[in-house]
């Protein structure tokens, strides 16, 4: 998958009282389903059923904003810095993220990513410390200018 265009996205702003059931139906016809639980918890048995449905259909299910039991992969991110803003004004050029990845099949991993603008697109780069972030921000400025 190269990406998605807005006209190819299905957005369900109010999935009703059972968003997990709506996600299950969407998995029958879509390759990627993003489920925002809105802070809710899903029973472990329902998590297993929905994960199996996604696997059987070769689809990807991304769950955010709630409690999901035993995910295949868990990503936790924290914003650790910004670049590009002057004294209270300016354009945001870069966001630095601290990323932790845990999976069932390997040891936990940790790293930093910089999210930068480049040629009208968003680009992820490995964060390698303050000097690399400053260089990435300088490149982003040139691309936007």
């Amino acid at each position: 998958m190269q990406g998605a265009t807005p006209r190819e996205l299905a957005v369900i702003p109010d999935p009703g009282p059972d968003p997990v059931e709506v996600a299950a139906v969407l998995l029958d016809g879509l390759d990627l389903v993003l489920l925002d639980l809105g802070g809710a918890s899903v029973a472990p048995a329902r998590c297993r059923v929905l994960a199996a449905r996604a696997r059987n259909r070769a689809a990807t299910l991304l769950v955010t904003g709630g409690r999901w039991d035993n995910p295949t992969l868990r990503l936790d991110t924290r914003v650790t810095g910004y670049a590009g803003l002057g004294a209270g004004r300016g354009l945001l050029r870069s966001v630095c993220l601290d990323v932790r990845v845990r999976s069932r099949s390997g040891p936990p991993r940790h790293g930093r990513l910089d999210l930068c603008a480049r040629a009208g697109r968003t680009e992820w780069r490995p964060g390698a410390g303050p000097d690399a972030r400053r260089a990435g921000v300088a490149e982003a400025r040139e691309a936007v200018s």
Side-chain angles (χ1 to χ4, degrees):
M1 179 191 320
Q2 289 285 355
T5 58
R7 70 179 176 274
E8 295 173 343
L9 296 176
V11 177
I12 315 297
D14 183 9
D18 194 357
V20 174
E21 184 60 31
V22 172
V25 171
L26 292 173
L27 284 169
D28 287 338
L30 299 173
D31 294 332
L32 173 65
V33 173
L34 173 61
L35 172 60
D36 181 8
L37 295 174
S41 293
V42 178
R46 283 191 89 190
C47 293
R48 287 190 298 273
V49 168
L50 200 57
R53 188 178 202 134
R55 253 190 326 276
N56 289 338
R57 307 236 178 349
T60 300
L61 174 65
L62 297 174
V63 180
T64 184
R67 172 111 171 92
W68 187 270
D69 191 55
N70 199 24
T72 303
L73 183 71
R74 181 179 301 277
L75 295 172
D76 294 305
T77 60
R78 184 174 59 92
V79 175
T80 58
Y82 302 95
L85 295 176
R89 53 193 273 186
L91 295 176
L92 185 62
R93 305 284 188 208
S94 175
V95 177
C96 181
L97 300 174
D98 182 45
V99 181
R100 294 184 185 279
V101 179
R102 289 178 283 158
S103 73
R104 288 190 229 153
S105 61
R109 297 177 61 184
H110 173 258
R112 294 187 185 273
L113 290 174
D114 290 334
L115 177 63
C116 304
R118 184 174 177 94
R121 299 190 64 163
T122 303
E123 181 176 284
W124 293 94
R125 296 183 184 178
D131 294 335
R133 278 196 290 282
R134 279 193 285 275
V137 170
E139 289 175 18
R141 281 190 185 131
E142 290 173 13
V144 174
S145 302

